[in-house]
Amino acid sequence: MAPQVTRSSQLLDLAVGQPDPALLPVDQFQNCSVNASRLAYGEQTGDASFRKALASWLSEDYGQPVHADRLLLTNGSSNALDMVCTQFGRPGATVLVEDPSYFIAMDLFRERGMNVVAVPMDDEGINLAALEQAIDQYQPNFFYTVPSFHNPTGVTQPLQRRNDLVALCARTQCPIIADEIYQSLYFTQKPPRPLAMFDDDAPVVSIGSFSKILAPGLRLGWIQGTEAIVSRFGNAALLRSGGGLAPVTSALVEPLLLNGEFEQTLNRLRQIYSERADCLYHSLEAAFGEQIHMVRPDGGFFIWLSFVDGRDVSNYQEAAKQAGVNFLPGQLCSENNGFQSSMRLCFAWYSEPQLQEACNRLASVLA
Ligand SMILES: Cc1ncc(COP(=O)(O)O)c(C=O)c1O
């Protein structure tokens, strides 16, 4: 199987949702060292001094205190989702997701033998009336959501929607699994705080990751929740057997958190991705005009483009590839096979000239 970062020289593949390899912070990992404690089996919730450094950085970024004992380290968001399935799922159970949703998360739930049921969104995130009805009807084991700079739509839940969502979760005791992977990748305006920071009586697990804000190869992320939730995850057999996750990687990232280099790298990424988002958005606007609908992204990785004439974009995918460009058909992100006229386009992987060229190629097939 090809490594995830392989690029073809001919194809501009906007379906890929990954950071630009040219922006990976190689220099910051040149003089790495680890001490003996990080080479031993680690603390079940993850190294304490790293969690302290992470909590301090998150407190700044979220504008509200985060305590180290409410964090548990993971090997990224995907690993956290897998651990969520162990703790909250079981074969035959139902999981509610947004329609559309992150397609690989849905695959992950299916791999665990769970039934995925999609609930509609609007331009502020999940439709709460529909969610309440689905909770009532399916008695799900949990609801999976991407609250900030949603994958694939780019939508960010505003504060009121978050308040209402968490209140619904507290009332019904339906756990919320909030994949907050794009939370800190804002361009101009910080999103409201992660869902785990609203109400301790609501069973909410927020998941964070360094994949999009530093480097995915680190396989480093975290779970944030109440102490009860953290201890539930921390006592999983996986961690009782193997110790806490990422002891070595967390040792490599810790100095970057403490000396400000991580913040500098992240600010640079915010700037570059923001320019790329603008570039792709304006190129698409110029090429397609009234034919499409898009929301201008203010963070994250994606533009969600919909054709107003209702055409099925997957009919054009082969021709687009022939023209040297690819996109992710919206239908792949929908449990209900909806969103046939939409596509997800990633602006993070390519430079501005390449994004313009990708847009020209798309227009040659679809405009
Ligand atoms: C919503 C969402 N969750 C999880 C992931 C994967 O995250 P990680 O690399 O931390 O496992 C991605 C990557 O595209 C994503 O968009």
Side-chain angles (χ1 to χ4, degrees):
M1 202 178 265
Q4 289 227 348
V5 288
T6 302
R7 281 196 211 191
S8 140
S9 51
Q10 272 103 44
L11 184 70
L12 293 168
D13 194 348
L14 303 191
V16 173
Q18 294 186 26
D20 183 345
L23 299 177
L24 296 175
V26 179
D27 292 347
Q28 295 184 7
F29 292 94
Q30 290 309 301
N31 300 309
C32 295
S33 67
V34 285
N35 61 30
S37 70
R38 295 294 182 73
L39 293 173
Y41 281 119
E43 214 175 311
Q44 278 165 231
T45 48
D47 183 82
S49 75
F50 178 78
R51 281 186 293 112
K52 203 165 146 224
L54 177 61
S56 157
W57 186 81
L58 292 175
S59 302
E60 281 288 313
D61 195 53
Y62 296 166
Q64 197 168 309
V66 174
H67 300 285
D69 49 15
R70 292 185 167 218
L71 300 174
L72 175 139
L73 300 192
T74 70
N75 292 136
S77 173
S78 314
N79 169 237
L81 289 174
D82 210 50
M83 290 163 76
V84 161
C85 291
T86 305
Q87 292 306 316
F88 289 90
R90 63 176 167 73
T94 295
V95 178
L96 301 181
V97 300
E98 289 154 323
D99 196 19
S101 181
Y102 174 43
F103 67 110
I104 306 181
M106 293 192 284
D107 285 344
L108 194 146
F109 302 144
R110 291 187 200 106
E111 277 178 11
R112 292 297 199 105
M114 296 195 274
N115 305 314
V116 175
V117 172
V119 180
M121 295 175 69
D122 58 30
D123 54 10
E124 296 196 337
I126 191 69
N127 176 322
L128 287 175
L131 180 64
E132 184 156 12
Q133 201 193 349
I135 291 174
D136 211 38
Q137 182 177 349
Y138 296 101
Q139 304 291 311
N141 282 39
F142 58 87
F143 163 56
Y144 169 74
T145 175
V146 183
S148 297
F149 313 118
H150 182 259
N151 179 357
T153 63
V155 165
T156 293
Q157 292 168 9
L159 184 62
Q160 188 58 50
R161 183 66 58 97
R162 291 178 193 231
N163 274 321
D164 295 344
L165 172 58
V166 174
L168 173 64
C169 157
R171 198 165 67 245
T172 58
Q173 288 296 301
C174 169
I176 297 178
I177 308 304
D179 188 341
E180 322 259 9
I181 186 162
Y182 299 105
Q183 171 75 22
S184 298
L185 202 57
Y186 46 83
F187 301 153
T188 58
Q189 233 188 326
K190 280 189 189 190
R193 63 195 185 275
L195 294 183
M197 298 177 77
F198 280 73
D199 176 2
D200 282 351
D201 292 328
V204 182
V205 179
S206 279
I207 293 171
S209 172
F210 282 95
S211 288
K212 305 294 157 95
I213 54 177
L214 191 59
L218 295 166
R219 307 312 307 135
L220 182 62
W222 63 93
I223 278 170
Q224 180 183 1
T226 59
E227 285 176 41
I229 283 180
V230 165
S231 116
R232 178 170 173 176
F233 279 92
N235 283 313
L238 173 76
L239 303 179
R240 279 189 285 121
S241 171
L245 299 172
V248 171
T249 329
S250 63
L252 306 186
V253 175
E254 187 173 332
L256 308 181
L257 280 173
L258 296 174
N259 68 15
E261 282 184 48
F262 167 62
E263 182 73 24
Q264 273 172 22
T265 304
L266 177 53
N267 280 333
R268 182 164 163 262
L269 290 180
R270 285 177 181 139
Q271 181 64 36
I272 293 172
Y273 289 149
S274 154
E275 287 164 5
R276 290 182 180 185
D278 273 355
C279 167
L280 183 59
Y281 180 84
H282 290 306
S283 307
L284 292 165
E285 203 175 36
F288 291 97
E290 305 281 290
Q291 291 180 285
I292 57 168
H293 176 263
M294 300 179 284
V295 178
R296 192 168 171 173
D298 194 29
F301 264 35
F302 306 111
I303 289 179
W304 182 243
L305 177 159
S306 302
F307 282 87
V308 294
D309 63 7
R311 74 180 75 172
D312 182 343
V313 297
S314 58
N315 291 336
Y316 297 81
Q317 193 170 26
E318 218 26 70
K321 283 186 189 166
Q322 294 291 326
V325 65
N326 192 25
F327 55 84
L328 189 80
Q331 201 177 346
L332 271 187
C333 307
S334 173
E335 176 64 18
N336 297 334
N337 287 325
F339 304 99
Q340 295 184 356
S341 320
S342 303
M343 59 174 72
R344 190 195 78 175
L345 300 171
C346 174
F347 51 76
W349 214 35
Y350 290 106
S351 65
E352 290 182 47
Q354 287 171 311
L355 290 170
Q356 272 160 3
E357 176 56 25
C359 177
N360 293 342
R361 293 181 189 178
L362 276 177
S364 73
V365 176
L366 282 133

